[in-house]
């Protein structure tokens, strides 16, 4: 049992947790800044970025693809801003124009180019393939101390772990400016902060998290993790510091419970096959948010904790 | 190319023709409903509506199979998708009303969670009846290949019905979308109208599922109104342009994909919409990029013209290239930079106007007049001849500019 777990489930579980945390951290600020849907837009435009970089390099190597995806994300953000300013269009609609068009372009390119030999398709892009990221070289827990086995870990694990650390550093280093500009942009401007630059940096961090997580787990978890854990955390507390910890906790819980429920749940229920882990993780994060909406101590707008049974 | 013309003339088969007609109606309906959503600044709610259809499709399939029917019955799947997107809509409203989360968080949460759950259901379906699940994936991106005659009829009829409903409800929806407070004060039930609007969005989404797919249907609801917004400031025209854009994209897109089956319908329709949007963004008369650039250039030239004249009048040398070329073009200076007769006259007038403005701003210290002083507005446009004469009396007779 333990060797099977280490081989088949340990890495996907870790990847899921890292991806969830990397997305949930910037998500806290996005939710507070009413930019929650930026994550949605970015994870849609990652597909055309990957397809274009595949057509240019003709190979499915990770780094060019991540660069392509990141470029697409930045292009999308620039386009959204351009349309919003030039046409005086509300941001939501500008976003809708850009990400749907770019996604459509990506799908069209994908269908037109010969990608039958490589593993690149829309379904994969949407809900990833977390289950396939297994650790063949492992025998059991002792493999964690075995250098040879460790070097055979799926490379996705290292990438997403590095990105999770980078995002954490980004937030720790820019903590004060981020916090001040999120809650009171006017004040932040008045004391000389470059709030526009800061906002852009946040979007870049979001894009990096989205691209890295996308590589490992697909777009759908990315969107869910940007929004659900931070939104649920927002209903638990009035302090940003506490909210961040709650969101990390919720993200981790979603990843673990979702992965286990997808992999083992159906077996316990008597079915033969597992269901999509990505979908299940998103579902669990939704259930957590639903619970927070019903019982979170700071769920209402007045933000005073409710007396029990009130409302 | 022939294949395309055939398809455009509805000659490539009965099904293809029906699909093209259906796509046209769908595009018109989506563009017009989208206009209301766009004006109400809730465009992205439709994204959540679209993604929330997936679990409904999955559950409907499972239920129909369990009841011993054919899981792929389009009508059944569409009813399922409508119910689940209704639930999604309700949840968004509930979250916004009952908690302190903003609408965008609610939209994103519903969108991703419903979609994720839908994916779970799709994997369940894959394992539960391996051979029969084919077709459900096509709801993600739409496909007209292998569409049954009944399906085409459902889409065409659905499009017509949605369009008729929009036509009937256009007045209240326009008022609410444009100014909800006014609508409420004139006795309209805003909440009910909003619900009707969302109901129509849902209908369009559900009808478009098979054709455009649930990820891209939102484009048909958003891009046409945004395109129209570049061309007009009037709601009724906006609706017409948006409907036209959507209809045209639907018609040409469906024909293209009938002529070249390798082209997926949904993305083609969306990209056609985007093409029309891009053209509007660049070329629209008032809000377009080109118009803005031209306006900026004209303004620049006016400023340089004016400043050049003042420099001539004060006998200052002019170094700025643009100023020199502007003045030269009007024959106000010679090639060596010396003012011509006409140039000296104009310069004297400019300087005198400037002095007049100074006096005028001293006399009329009220905001309205002083605010109109921008160094470009002609004083004759602001003051009457009598007033100018009065100012002239104070500053004495005109002075010529030395050659």
């Amino acid at each position: 049992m333990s060797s099977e777990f280490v081989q088949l489930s340990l890495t996907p579980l870790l990847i899921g947790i890292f991806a969830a945390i990397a997305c949930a951290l910037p998500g806290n600020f996005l939710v507070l800044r009413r930019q929650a849907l930026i994550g949605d837009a970015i994870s849609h435009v990652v597909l055309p970025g990957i397809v274009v970089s595949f057509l240019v390099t003709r190979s499915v190597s990770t780094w060019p693809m991540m660069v392509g995806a990141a470029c697409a994300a930045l292009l999308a953000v620039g386009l959204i801003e351009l349309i919003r300013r030039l046409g005086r269009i509300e941001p939501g609609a500008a976003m809708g124009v850009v990400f749907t068009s770019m996604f459509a372009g990506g799908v069209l390119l994908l269908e037109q180019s010969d990608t039958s030999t490589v593993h690149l398709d829309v379904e994969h892009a949407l809900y990833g393939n977390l289950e396939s990221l297994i650790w063949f070289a492992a025998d059991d827990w002792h493999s964690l101390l075995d250098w040879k086995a460790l070097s055979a870990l799926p490379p996705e694990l290292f990438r997403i772990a590095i990105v999770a650390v980078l995002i954490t550093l980004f937030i720790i280093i820019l903590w004060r400016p981020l916090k001040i500009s999120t809650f009171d942009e006017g004040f932040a401007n008045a004391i000389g902060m470059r709030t526009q630059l800061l906002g852009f940096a946040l979007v870049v961090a979001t894009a990096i998290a989205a691209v890295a997580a996308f590589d490992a787990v697909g777009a759908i978890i990315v969107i869910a993790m940007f929004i659900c854990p931070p939104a649920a955390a927002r209903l638990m507390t009035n302090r940003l510091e506490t909210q961040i910890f709650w969101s990390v906790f919720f993200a981790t819980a979603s990843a673990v419970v979702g992965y286990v429920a997808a992999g083992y749940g159906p077996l316990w229920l008597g079915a033969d096959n597992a269901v999509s882990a990505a979908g299940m993780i998103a579902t669990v994060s939704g259930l957590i948010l639903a619970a927070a909406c019903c019982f979170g101590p700071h769920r209402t707008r007045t933000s005073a904790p409710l007396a029990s049974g009130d409302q | 190319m022939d294949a395309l013309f055939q398809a455009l003339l509805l000659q490539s088969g009965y099904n293809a023709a029906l699909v093209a007609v259906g796509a046209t109606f769908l595009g018109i309906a989506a563009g017009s409903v989208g206009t209301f959503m766009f004006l109400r600044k809730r465009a992205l709610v439709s994204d959540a509506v679209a993604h929330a259809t997936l679990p409904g499709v999955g559950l409907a399939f499972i239920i129909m199979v369990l009841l011993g029917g054919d899981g792929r019955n389009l009508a059944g799947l569409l009813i399922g998708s409508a119910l689940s997107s209704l639930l999604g809509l309700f949840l968004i409203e509930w979250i916004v009303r009952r908690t302190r989360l903003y609408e965008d968080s609610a939209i994103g949460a519903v969108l991703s969670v419903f979609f994720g759950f839908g994916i779970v259901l799709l994997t369940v379906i894959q394992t539960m009846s391996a051979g029969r699940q084919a077709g459900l994936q096509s709801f993600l991106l739409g496909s007209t290949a292998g569409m049954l005659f009944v399906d085409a009829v459902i889409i065409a009829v659905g499009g017509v019905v949605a369009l008729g409903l929009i036509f009937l409800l256009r007045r209240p929806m326009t008022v609410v979308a444009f100014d909800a407070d006014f609508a409420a004060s004139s006795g309209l039930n805003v909440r009910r109208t909003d619900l009707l609007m969302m109901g129509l969005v849902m209908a369009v989404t559900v009808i478009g599922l098979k054709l455009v797919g649930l990820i891209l249907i939102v484009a048909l609801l958003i891009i046409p109104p945004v395109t129209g917004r570049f061309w007009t400031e009037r709601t009724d025209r906006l609706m017409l342009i948006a409907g036209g854009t959507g209809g045209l994209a639907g018609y040409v897109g469906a024909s293209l994909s009938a002529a070249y089956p390798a082209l997926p319908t949904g993305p083609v329709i969306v990209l056609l919409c985007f093409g029309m949007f891009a053209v509007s963004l660049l070329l629209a008369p008032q809000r377009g990029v080109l118009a803005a650039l031209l306006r900026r250039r004209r303004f620049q030239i006016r400023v340089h013209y004016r400043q050049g004249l003042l420099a001539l009048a004060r006998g200052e040398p002019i170094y700025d290239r643009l100023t020199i070329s502007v003045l030269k073009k009007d024959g106000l200076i010679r090639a060596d930079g010396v003012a011509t007769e006409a140039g000296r006259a104009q310069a004297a007038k400019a300087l005198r106007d400037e002095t007049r403005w100074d006096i005028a701003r001293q006399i009329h210290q009220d905001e309205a007049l002083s605010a109109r002083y921008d160094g470009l507005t002609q004083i004759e446009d602001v003051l009457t001849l009598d007033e100018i004469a009065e100012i002239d009396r104070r500053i004495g007779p005109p002075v010529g500019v030395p050659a």
Side-chain angles (χ1 to χ4, degrees), chain A residues 16-28 164 167-168 171 225 228-234 236 240-256 288:
Chain A
I17 293 172
F18 281 131
I21 293 176
C23 291
L25 282 176
N28 280 296
I167 300 277
T168 313
I171 287 186
M225 287 305 136
C228 292
R234 170 101 177 100
M236 301 301 292
L240 186 59
E241 292 82 357
T242 326
Q243 181 188 323
I244 299 261
F245 284 112
W246 272 113
S247 75
V248 170
F249 171 70
F250 285 148
T252 312
S254 312
V256 173
I288 291 178

Side-chain angles (χ1 to χ4, degrees), chain B residues 227-279:
Chain B
T227 306
R229 191 67 187 86
F230 280 91
W231 296 94
T232 179
E233 309 279 333
R234 293 181 52 94
T235 331
D236 46 352
R237 283 186 206 151
L238 179 58
M239 218 174 107
L240 284 179
I241 298 174
T245 308
L248 189 65
Y251 174 61
V252 179
S255 306
L256 265 173
S257 110
Y260 307 101
L263 291 178
T265 325
V268 169
I269 294 180
V270 173
L271 287 178
L272 284 170
C273 276
F274 180 74
M276 285 187 259
F277 161 78
V279 170

Side-chain angles (χ1 to χ4, degrees), chain A residues 34-36 40 86-87 90 99 101 112 127 220 224 227 234 237-238 273 275-276 279-280 286 298-299 301 311, chain B residues 41 47 96 98-100 102 104-105 108-109 112-113 115-117 119-120 123-124 127 215 262 274 277 287 289:
Chain A
R34 303 192 183 206
Q35 291 180 332
D40 180 26
L86 283 177
E90 57 131 343
F99 81 75
S101 303
Q112 291 306 298
Y127 39 89
I220 195 63
I227 300 175
R234 170 101 177 100
T237 171
N238 275 334
N273 292 291
V275 296
S276 158
M280 206 57 179
H298 293 275
R299 61 183 182 274
R301 206 146 276 151
Q311 267 235 341
Chain B
K41 298 200 190 323
D47 200 20
V96 172
R98 289 289 299 274
T99 77
R100 61 178 177 180
Y102 302 128
D104 65 331
S105 299
S112 54
V113 173
F115 193 75
F117 185 58
I119 297 295
V120 170
T123 48
V124 169
T127 60
I215 300 176
F274 180 74
F277 161 78
R287 300 171 144 233
V289 174

